[in-house]
Amino acid sequence: MAWTYTNDPANVPRDAVRLLVGDTDTTDQKITDEAIAFFLAQAGDDTYGAAALSARSIAAKFAVEVDTKFETVSSNSSQLSENYYALAKRLEQQSKKFGSAGLGIPLAGGISNSDMQSVNQDTDRVMPKFNRDQFAWPNPNYSGDDAL
């Protein structure tokens, strides 16, 4: 299980994920390179999404530990767990705003004639309830009385 940080978050997605979750201290390693690679694959290479998954993983690690207190020394793992869950929520919001998998770019279909023609020629497409000019008179598809 490897742990590396090259301090190049602009070019190395693993470093960006580590920076976003605060796992940049070599003496306090929280998540492995393999786990980050898995989270990047799960998030579609969205670093904010992968960071949110990483933060949830770290929170889960602290959630199974118990809080301890002995005289004046205490360990509050539950507080660490809550903080990492809160970080995960913030990172998920940032993923929606800045990430590649976010909701920032809406899709507008049928805005060119060729797109509309290809959609209308698709035989597997469910036909709409109505079409433009369906009640126009004369009907644009009307060829006269030659059908009689």
Side-chain angles (χ1 to χ4, degrees), residues 94-122:
Q94 289 176 334
S95 176
K96 290 176 184 175
K97 186 174 182 180
F98 303 118
S100 60
L103 304 174
I105 303 172
L107 174 65
I111 56 175
S112 72
N113 285 331
S114 62
D115 284 349
M116 290 170 40
Q117 287 173 355
S118 66
V119 166
N120 287 334
Q121 292 171 353
D122 184 4

Side-chain angles (χ1 to χ4, degrees), residues 21-23 29-31 35 39 50-67 76-92:
V21 296
D23 186 26
Q29 302 171 359
K30 293 182 177 54
I31 196 158
F39 294 141
L53 291 171
S54 298
R56 286 191 179 279
S57 174
I58 295 168
K61 189 185 310 184
F62 286 118
V64 298
E65 295 180 9
V66 295
D67 292 345
N76 294 330
S77 296
S78 63
Q79 189 176 13
L80 281 170
S81 178
E82 290 171 10
N83 288 342
Y84 274 103
Y85 276 125
L87 174 63
K89 288 179 183 179
R90 286 193 308 271
L91 288 167
E92 287 165 353

